[in-house]
Amino acid sequence: ITSNLSVLYVENDIMLREQNSEFFKQLFKSVKMASDGEEAIKLYEKNSFDIVITGINVPKINGLTMIKIIQQKDKNQRFLITTVYKEEELKEQLKALNLKYFLTKPIPTKRLLEKIEDIINDFGVVA
């Protein structure tokens, strides 16, 4: 159900980014990678994405600020937050940005796939 989706993956950890890159390329039609929020915004300005998967503590422009900037361009953009923080620690910030898809690292593949399926089902993404 994901083979027609495009994803922007923002992760500053190079090992994790490369590892997940291979996995995402098997899962999605198109995958663009960014190592920081600034690079992600530049990619976003040139492309459209079904899902943006991002950490919070990414360099240059942190993940939450990056999300605010992207939401100004497209209030319907779907995000999946991946972070070492517990959801309770970020509850108010996530609520303020209307973000409901959140995974705490380390992320088991099964949980990642379940969240992506939730996004697709909730938003009716054409896969």
Side-chain angles (χ1 to χ4, degrees), residues 40 50 63 66 96 123:
D50 295 298
M66 180 198 71
F123 288 92

Side-chain angles (χ1 to χ4, degrees), residues 5-17:
L5 300 180
S6 61
V7 168
L8 173 57
Y9 179 51
V10 188
E11 173 59 59
N12 59 303
D13 181 314
I14 191 166
M15 296 289 284
L16 190 56
R17 189 172 62 246

Side-chain angles (χ1 to χ4, degrees), residues 48-65:
S48 64
F49 299 97
D50 295 298
I51 303 170
V52 175
I53 301 172
T54 185
I56 291 177
N57 287 330
V58 295
K60 296 187 180 177
I61 299 175
N62 78 45
L64 295 176
T65 301

Side-chain angles (χ1 to χ4, degrees), residues 11-113:
E11 173 59 59
N12 59 303
D13 181 314
I14 191 166
M15 296 289 284
L16 190 56
R17 189 172 62 246
E18 287 178 7
Q19 177 184 0
N20 286 334
S21 164
E22 295 307 312
F23 175 69
F24 289 152
K25 287 177 181 176
Q26 294 173 28
L27 196 61
F28 300 110
K29 176 182 177 182
S30 170
V31 179
K32 299 283 186 191
M33 306 290 220
S35 60
D36 60 61
E38 187 177 285
E39 182 181 1
I41 290 168
K42 288 178 183 176
L43 284 168
Y44 195 87
E45 289 171 350
K46 297 175 184 173
N47 303 275
S48 64
F49 299 97
D50 295 298
I51 303 170
V52 175
I53 301 172
T54 185
I56 291 177
N57 287 330
V58 295
K60 296 187 180 177
I61 299 175
N62 78 45
L64 295 176
T65 301
M66 180 198 71
I67 288 168
K68 287 179 192 176
I69 292 168
I70 289 174
Q71 285 178 332
Q72 291 172 353
K73 298 173 187 313
D74 181 358
K75 64 183 171 100
N76 296 314
Q77 179 61 59
R78 291 160 297 279
F79 296 93
L80 173 57
I81 308 301
T82 61
T83 185
V84 294
Y85 295 109
K86 302 288 183 222
E87 188 170 4
E88 301 80 42
E89 297 175 69
L90 299 167
K91 191 173 184 174
E92 292 304 314
Q93 293 170 298
L94 296 174
K95 186 177 179 182
L97 292 171
N98 197 28
L99 300 171
K100 69 179 197 176
Y101 303 102
F102 182 95
L103 288 169
T104 302
K105 294 177 183 177
I107 302 166
T109 302
K110 183 178 179 188
R111 287 289 297 136
L112 176 62
L113 293 172

